[in-house]
Amino acid sequence: MAFVNLKKKEVQVKIVYYGPGRGGKTTNLEYIYNKFNDRIKTEMIAIKTQGDRTLFFDFLPFEMGKIKGYDVKIQLYTVPGQVKYNATRRLVLRGVDGVVFVADSMKVRRKSNMLSVKNLQENLSTYKKSIFKIPLVLQYNKRDLAGDGIPLLSYETMEKDLNSRLKVPSFEASALKGDNVVKTLKKIITLTMAALEKEFK
Amino acid sequence: MAKKKAKLTDEVEKRLDEIFIEGDGTVDEENEPLETQVSPLRELQSVILSLDWEISDEVMSHFLDEVAKLKNNYNGNRIMAPFFKMLDSLGRYIKKYKAKTNPEAIKVLNSVYSALEKILSSDGLKEIEKETILLEEVQRFKDLKREIQGQKGVVEEKVKPGKPAAPLVEGRDVTIDWEEGQRMPEPIVAALNELKELIQAEFKALREEIQGLADELKAPKRKSGRKGKK
């Protein structure tokens, strides 16, 4: 749950980018950091292995300024996508307020996407959170690969695989090129803030 | 209530618009998807892109099938055939050793693939330029082969006695027989395994420590009444 300091009138919102390995979670954050660094004035922390894979998590905090009299601070995290790091993934999910699920559009990654959603559901349930209730946005990443002739899953297939029960907002995107990266971020922040307001009422 | 919610959402959206002013390459939803270029390497490229730490039998079999198909298509092409031989050897090696694969093998595989793609997609390349690219890749491949065979020293070339090794550019000697005992020397394997176990143990301990700290931070402070047994 978001950290609220009534005395300081401060709200910290935690948003986690989740999804299968090499799906583009870190690339989302890197795009935001590189593109808007002059405005968000912050540092991105990334702990990577030699092969450029996320080992623990990436962390990108920024301030949104005052909203309804409260200083709103957003913290973006990614989880390591590799199957073996489930303990770290679960740990990063602790206290999460909103989730962006970054799915890989490549046909060969279809199964990984579905397993990762299932894994998200399981890990959320350890904190007594439901995947059907938490603010969630799906991002179908790597759409730019269509230009390279890579076989991709169609939007409809991805919706059927991942969103038929969740029925949450979804975007086709290219984290590498920045297509819909910001749109995804704006959506999850808006949904999360609305959910938090409802929760604190 | 609904009015209030809308107000908050509006305020959040307005603030987000101020911070993340567009021009960020947002996709125009009405745009048609990019046209797909038909490349003979399309499927192969896709499999190579999907190779990561989770190298599975399924992915590698797919890779080898694709290479075999292309190998057949370019059979007799003296520039292209060696590329597929190298990819085939690398694929078989990676499939066999998976996580224990020499890390360089994936790099060499990517490099061979990129060179192959370059040759296929550049119509203007002269024959001599193609040969140069091929030779560079063959050299890289041979270096890897030598590295993997390691201290074993002598390279067991699969060349018939009395017959000189065929020039690599003709692609007759780019096969690594991963099956026939050309493995890393035992002490190196043992040292690598030991190192791997040590790193795994370290990370496990670190993760547990972080988990413990996080639990400690989250848990409400309780009286520390229980004393340790002596």
Side-chain angles (χ1 to χ4, degrees):
Chain A
M1 200 171 81
F3 174 77
V4 182
N5 187 329
L6 291 170
K7 202 174 168 189
K8 286 188 180 174
K9 297 212 112 193
E10 200 177 278
V11 183
Q12 267 179 28
V13 180
K14 180 174 182 176
I15 289 166
V16 174
Y17 281 67
Y18 208 93
R22 292 218 189 253
K25 301 176 288 295
T26 300
T27 314
N28 262 274
L29 260 59
E30 281 172 346
Y31 178 83
I32 295 161
Y33 176 69
N34 292 330
K35 184 92 178 172
F36 302 102
N37 190 25
D38 56 334
R39 255 168 280 165
I40 57 180
K41 291 184 176 58
T42 184
E43 287 300 322
M44 178 171 162
I45 297 161
I47 307 171
K48 289 178 176 184
T49 59
Q50 202 184 8
D52 240 18
R53 310 294 305 273
T54 303
L55 183 58
F56 284 110
F57 53 81
D58 306 312
F59 176 57
L60 178 63
F62 66 90
E63 295 185 11
M64 273 184 68
K66 274 199 173 12
I67 292 176
K68 288 197 159 216
Y70 279 81
D71 273 323
V72 178
K73 295 180 176 183
I74 306 287
Q75 297 178 330
L76 305 181
Y77 286 81
T78 68
V79 294
Q82 294 175 75
V83 175
K84 58 187 167 184
Y85 293 135
N86 196 43
T88 312
R89 265 197 299 282
R90 205 180 303 137
L91 190 64
V92 176
L93 275 182
R94 188 189 290 269
V96 64
D97 298 303
V99 178
V100 173
F101 184 87
V102 182
D104 192 325
S105 295
M106 289 201 299
K107 259 188 182 166
V108 287
R109 307 295 284 169
R110 187 176 183 185
K111 200 173 155 195
S112 316
N113 290 332
M114 292 195 273
L115 288 175
S116 185
V117 170
K118 198 168 183 301
N119 176 257
L120 170 63
Q121 183 177 13
E122 285 164 3
N123 282 339
L124 282 172
S125 70
T126 62
Y127 298 116
K128 298 190 171 39
K129 285 181 193 274
S130 163
I131 196 171
F132 298 102
K133 287 182 183 162
I134 196 160
L136 174 67
V137 172
L138 301 185
Q139 184 189 73
Y140 304 148
N141 193 23
K142 302 193 186 176
R143 302 312 293 186
D144 55 302
L145 288 179
D148 296 328
I150 307 290
L152 298 185
L153 295 160
S154 69
Y155 177 76
E156 291 73 23
T157 305
M158 296 191 84
E159 279 284 284
K160 191 167 165 265
D161 285 349
L162 308 172
N163 206 12
S164 56
R165 288 181 63 211
L166 294 170
K167 300 194 191 314
V168 295
S170 61
F171 299 100
E172 291 182 276
S174 163
L176 204 61
K177 295 187 172 177
D179 299 342
N180 278 343
V181 167
V182 171
K183 212 167 178 177
T184 307
L185 176 66
K186 283 178 176 177
K187 193 65 172 179
I188 190 62
I189 292 176
T190 311
L191 286 179
T192 307
M193 292 297 291
L196 287 175
E197 194 201 25
K198 198 175 163 190
E199 200 173 323
F200 286 114
K201 280 288 165 195
Chain B
M1 183 79 180
K3 209 175 176 183
K4 254 189 172 177
K5 248 190 245 171
K7 254 188 163 180
L8 174 91
T9 312
D10 289 347
E11 205 174 327
V12 171
E13 278 174 358
K14 195 181 150 210
R15 184 61 46 81
L16 286 169
D17 284 341
E18 284 165 11
I19 301 172
F20 301 110
I21 223 155
E22 286 294 355
D24 61 342
T26 302
V27 170
D28 181 355
E29 281 164 13
E30 283 169 22
N31 274 353
E32 288 292 311
L34 291 167
E35 260 188 45
T36 303
Q37 293 167 0
V38 182
S39 157
L41 301 180
R42 194 174 72 161
E43 196 66 28
L44 184 64
Q45 187 187 17
S46 157
V47 188
I48 287 177
L49 277 171
S50 74
L51 283 181
D52 52 21
W53 281 83
E54 295 143 31
I55 295 166
S56 64
D57 276 331
E58 193 188 346
V59 172
M60 290 318 297
S61 298
H62 189 182
F63 173 84
L64 289 171
D65 287 348
E66 207 46 44
V67 170
K69 217 185 293 170
L70 290 162
K71 201 170 159 184
N72 198 32
N73 291 349
Y74 289 95
N75 195 15
N77 183 321
R78 69 186 197 93
I79 297 285
M80 304 301 282
F83 277 104
F84 295 114
K85 276 192 177 181
M86 286 190 278
L87 288 174
D88 181 66
S89 282
L90 287 163
R92 280 190 292 117
Y93 164 68
I94 294 167
K95 186 181 179 192
K96 185 171 165 67
Y97 291 98
K98 297 196 182 70
K100 289 178 185 165
T101 296
N102 183 314
E104 283 301 308
I106 302 278
K107 286 186 194 164
V108 174
L109 184 139
N110 280 318
S111 172
V112 170
Y113 172 78
S114 301
L116 173 66
E117 194 180 37
K118 188 177 173 187
I119 289 177
L120 266 178
S121 59
S122 314
D123 293 334
L125 275 183
K126 290 176 188 159
E127 209 64 6
I128 185 78
E129 290 171 320
K130 291 180 185 175
E131 277 185 12
T132 310
I133 295 173
L134 171 62
L135 276 172
E136 277 173 18
E137 294 311 314
V138 169
Q139 190 53 51
R140 208 161 276 151
F141 179 84
K142 284 178 81 180
D143 290 345
L144 170 71
K145 186 175 169 180
R146 211 170 294 125
E147 191 184 320
I148 290 170
Q149 287 163 352
Q151 273 88 14
K152 204 163 185 180
V154 187
V155 177
E156 297 165 27
E157 297 286 356
K158 290 189 78 184
V159 178
K160 284 176 189 168
K163 201 175 175 184
L168 279 164
V169 75
E170 289 177 24
R172 291 173 204 151
D173 187 32
V174 287
T175 309
I176 299 176
D177 192 351
W178 307 107
E179 311 291 329
E180 288 178 15
Q182 296 180 353
R183 294 181 184 171
M184 272 192 275
E186 288 294 323
I188 294 184
V189 174
L192 276 175
N193 284 337
E194 199 181 323
L195 193 62
K196 215 166 101 184
E197 277 166 22
L198 178 74
I199 291 169
Q200 279 170 346
E202 287 287 337
F203 281 148
K204 191 171 174 244
L206 268 173
R207 277 199 289 271
E208 280 168 4
E209 205 169 315
I210 292 171
Q211 173 86 57
L213 284 170
D215 287 341
E216 223 170 85
L217 282 173
K218 185 140 193 234
K221 288 210 168 175
R222 288 177 194 166
K223 55 187 175 190
S224 53
R226 206 194 285 177
K227 282 179 185 172
K229 283 178 189 173
K230 283 190 178 177

